[in-house]
Amino acid sequence: EESRHSKTIYRDKSGRKRDLEREWLEQQQKAEATSERDEQYARWGKGLAQERQQQQNVEDAIKEMQKPLARYIDDEDLDRMLREQEREGDPMAALIKKRKARACKDKKEKPRYNGPAPPLNRFNIWPGHRWDGVDR
């Protein structure tokens, strides 16, 4: 009668009693730690910068959805967007590009090789401005 209502005792190979609840908790903790690590690696595999860019795109889309459908002449975002567009045949666009190029040109740049196409080397590096890339 006594053995009929007793709990089962589980033992390991050496004969010691096993604590199943503690083992189960340890397995849960290990599984949680590995799932956390796998989740982080999956996040890294997607690319952190791409994830931030996607989040930024979603935020921008939500911001655009909040705006009214009819946009009026005093809308600053629309005005900025239209100013940033480059149109074909715009006479002032060339002038603005020249000004930007001149501003960038003021920064010192190293001179580049301007001769005929040099023979390729194993690193695909172009020769310097004083040398044509041929060993003589």
Side-chain angles (χ1 to χ4, degrees), residues 32-130:
E32 187 177 311
T34 56
S35 68
E36 251 180 60
R37 190 181 67 227
D38 291 344
E39 183 180 315
Q40 188 168 9
Y41 279 124
R43 200 175 324 121
W44 288 346
K46 289 180 185 175
L48 298 176
Q50 288 82 356
E51 190 174 322
R52 281 193 296 267
Q53 181 65 36
Q54 185 178 10
Q55 182 66 27
Q56 183 66 35
N57 291 345
V58 169
E59 289 173 6
D60 291 343
I62 291 172
K63 183 179 173 186
E64 289 296 322
M65 284 187 240
Q66 298 296 329
K67 294 180 181 178
L69 186 60
R71 297 179 109 183
Y72 299 102
I73 197 143
D74 60 345
D75 188 3
E76 294 175 11
D77 292 334
L78 177 64
D79 186 46
R80 188 180 322 109
M81 181 188 70
L82 291 175
R83 285 177 189 264
E84 289 174 356
Q85 286 181 356
E86 291 187 17
R87 294 174 188 82
E88 188 176 338
D90 186 3
M92 283 301 286
L95 181 65
I96 292 171
K97 279 184 184 178
K98 281 183 186 177
R99 286 184 183 170
K100 285 184 181 178
R102 193 177 304 141
C104 291
K105 194 175 183 182
D106 291 342
K107 297 177 183 175
K108 290 216 171 189
E109 274 190 31
K110 292 183 179 178
R112 294 183 55 109
Y113 173 72
N114 292 330
L120 292 178
N121 57 23
R122 61 184 175 163
F123 303 111
N124 292 328
I125 298 173
W126 275 67
H129 68 284
R130 293 190 181 96

